[in-house]
Amino acid sequence: MGRWEPNARGRLAQAALELYGELGYEQTTVAEIAKRAGLTERTFFRHYADKREVLFDGSSALQELFVTAVAEAPRSVAPIGAIAAGLEAVSTVFEGRREHARQRQAVIVANAELQERELIKLASMSTALADALRRRGVTGPAASLTAEAGVAVFKVGFELWLTAPEEREMSQLMRESLDELKAVTTRG
Amino acid sequence: MGRWEPNARGRLAQAALELYGELGYEQTTVAEIAKRAGLTERTFFRHYADKREVLFDGSSALQELFVTAVAEAPRSVAPIGAIAAGLEAVSTVFEGRREHARQRQAVIVANAELQERELIKLASMSTALADALRRRGVTGPAASLTAEAGVAVFKVGFELWLTAPEEREMSQLMRESLDELKAVTTRG
């Protein structure tokens, strides 16, 4: 096998997800992942630090996309509107990836350590969003609250997208969830 | 020393917090905690499973208090009003405990593992609140979104309470944070 394997990264990720689903995350070894992908362990470690990174590989890019969209929303847009723009941006990443996202979710739900990791990623996203809002001039607790609201909508919208009986557009579900959050906070 | 030490539990918690602050959480041993409290290690283990439990001892009771208040709010109260009742209930626990809470927070912020534990407790609180809202008849994503909103307000209100230059009533800060969340989600 040559050094430059076509789409090695994607093949390794797919092989890893399959094996985590079949054998369980803890039972799967890097050697097995590489074998399933038709690649070497050395190639695996050129792409991923360890078997956990395969699952959280996209988290930083996702956060950056969210934060950049919030930062770049027009100045005239209210904080929650900037968050809506961010939700719109992250939704594009998942288009056509529902099966992959569902496989990943099943692995994470089955393992406490991975769930903790996911919570940390979401907390980090909330902190980064609050910082981005502060750079837009949002002051005091409003920045944290708007960021937390954004992460809440992301979590719930994502879950709706994952579990819908038929695939729906994620951006639409994010908009519906944000509208629902507005409704529940003001109702009563 | 006799078997029934007056307020052994509280003395151990106070000694532990002091030592975590002075030596660092990781460096502190149960033997040192017991010694500082003027008690034996055996007494420590009668009250706490390990040195981490001293810090998270109150989390389950806090969650139960929150959930019970949500469950017992009058039927006529809207979901977010039930959450407001829950925030009111948990606030009473912290009265006169700000110094203790600040010491605890400083220990947690300094340690990644403890921060993760705190995130897990908050996620568990959100799940429990959503379940309580569903039992009140709240359906679909509204239950999760209202619960997430409640946890967001709790986090932000708690932080405001901890960091205010002069001690303020927590319940008042929780009400202000909830009002602010309502404002940020509807503005724009």
Side-chain angles (χ1 to χ4, degrees), chain A residues 129-176:
Chain A
L129 290 172
D131 289 344
L133 289 166
R134 279 187 207 101
R135 286 194 297 274
R136 287 177 66 87
V138 183
T139 54
S144 303
L145 285 164
T146 311
E148 291 283 344
V151 172
V153 169
F154 174 72
K155 278 169 71 173
V156 172
F158 191 80
E159 178 77 17
L160 287 172
W161 176 73
L162 274 186
T163 56
E166 290 186 20
E167 186 157 355
R168 293 191 54 201
E169 241 190 80
M170 189 190 279
S171 60
Q172 177 62 27
L173 290 165
M174 292 295 175
R175 283 192 293 272
E176 288 176 19

Side-chain angles (χ1 to χ4, degrees), chain B residues 36-37 60 64 67 71 78 84 98 110 128 144 149 152 175:
Chain B
R36 171 75 60 104
S60 304
E64 202 180 311
V67 165
R98 193 165 85 134
S144 301
R175 283 192 294 272

Side-chain angles (χ1 to χ4, degrees), chain A residues 116 120 148 155 185-186, chain B residues 116 120 148 155 182 185-186:
Chain A
E116 289 173 27
I120 294 162
E148 291 283 344
K155 278 169 71 173
T185 52
T186 48
Chain B
E116 288 173 28
I120 294 162
E148 291 283 344
K155 277 169 73 174
K182 291 178 185 187
T185 51
T186 48

